[in-house]
Amino acid sequence: MNKEEKYDLVVALTEQMQEFGNFYITDTSDLTVAKINDIRRQCFESDITMKVAKNSLIKKAMEAAGGDYSPIFDVLKGSSSIFFSKSATAPAKLIKQLRKKGEKPILKAAYIDSAIFIGDNQIDTLIKLKSKEQLIGEVIGLLQSPAKNVISALQSGGNTIAGLVKTLQERG
């Protein structure tokens, strides 16, 4: 790979880091070409983009992307593959599924919406992450719940609303 190709790869990785906002760095060393091709096929089916790159180029891409990726720099050793996805959990689910068939890929690190997860022991945590939309929906549901409970209680008493208004006027 010449200097221009390396530069182009760093630019492409930087753009993908910024575009997707989520990426996983894995160890896929010692896998056969057939196994790597199988992983790539499964990534494609799961809307995950897989790239294999030298650690030095991955580091340069992170530095160019902005943000604090420094905790990830320590795990950039050996062979590395990067999984990019719009879904924060899809790569973790795929890695767990692939691990049923073999020992690799091993999770080195994951970057999810500015949160960094280091180590293969984080797979289960990453699988359970909720999307931003899911969390917002839960918060809205929690905020609506008290009002719904009051209205429900008032409606279950029949004309309780009229009685409540009358009571408030009498105290008034």
Side-chain angles (χ1 to χ4, degrees):
M1 183 177 274
N2 66 33
K3 195 171 187 176
E4 185 177 319
E5 291 171 329
K6 289 178 183 178
Y7 175 79
D8 290 342
L9 180 59
V10 169
V11 169
L13 290 173
T14 302
E15 288 172 354
Q16 288 178 315
M17 287 175 185
Q18 293 170 335
E19 175 190 346
F20 287 97
N22 305 310
F23 62 87
Y24 287 59
I25 299 175
T26 64
D27 176 2
T28 55
S29 62
D30 303 328
L31 293 177
T32 65
V33 173
K35 182 68 176 168
I36 292 289
N37 287 340
D38 182 52
I39 291 172
R40 286 183 190 276
R41 182 185 51 75
Q42 291 184 50
C43 283
F44 179 78
E45 291 170 359
S46 301
D47 286 331
I48 299 169
T49 302
M50 178 183 169
K51 297 277 186 189
V52 178
K54 290 187 175 196
N55 293 318
S56 59
L57 300 179
I58 294 170
K59 184 176 178 181
K60 286 181 182 184
M62 285 187 216
E63 291 170 343
D68 182 19
Y69 298 100
S70 57
I72 298 175
F73 296 162
D74 291 337
V75 301
L76 291 176
K77 296 177 176 105
S79 177
S80 296
S81 299
I82 306 180
F83 295 172
F84 294 100
S85 176
K86 292 284 185 191
S87 165
T89 59
K93 291 175 182 176
L94 178 62
I95 290 169
K96 184 139 184 158
Q97 177 186 336
L98 291 168
R99 295 283 291 279
K100 291 177 183 176
K101 300 175 188 173
E103 295 180 13
K104 293 197 176 175
I106 295 173
L107 177 67
K108 292 182 176 184
Y111 182 86
I112 312 295
D113 290 326
S114 76
I116 296 174
F117 300 84
I118 304 289
D120 195 54
N121 60 338
Q122 298 292 317
I123 288 287
D124 290 329
T125 302
L126 290 163
I127 288 172
K128 294 175 186 172
L129 284 180
K130 294 184 179 180
S131 71
K132 190 184 300 184
E133 291 79 15
Q134 289 172 318
L135 291 173
I136 290 171
E138 286 182 13
V139 169
I140 289 171
L142 290 171
L143 292 173
Q144 289 177 341
S145 183
K148 286 181 181 178
N149 290 342
V150 169
I151 292 170
S152 176
L154 290 174
Q155 288 176 339
S156 67
N159 290 332
T160 313
I161 295 174
L164 181 63
V165 170
K166 183 177 178 185
T167 305
L168 290 173
Q169 288 174 341
E170 289 174 355
R171 292 183 185 173

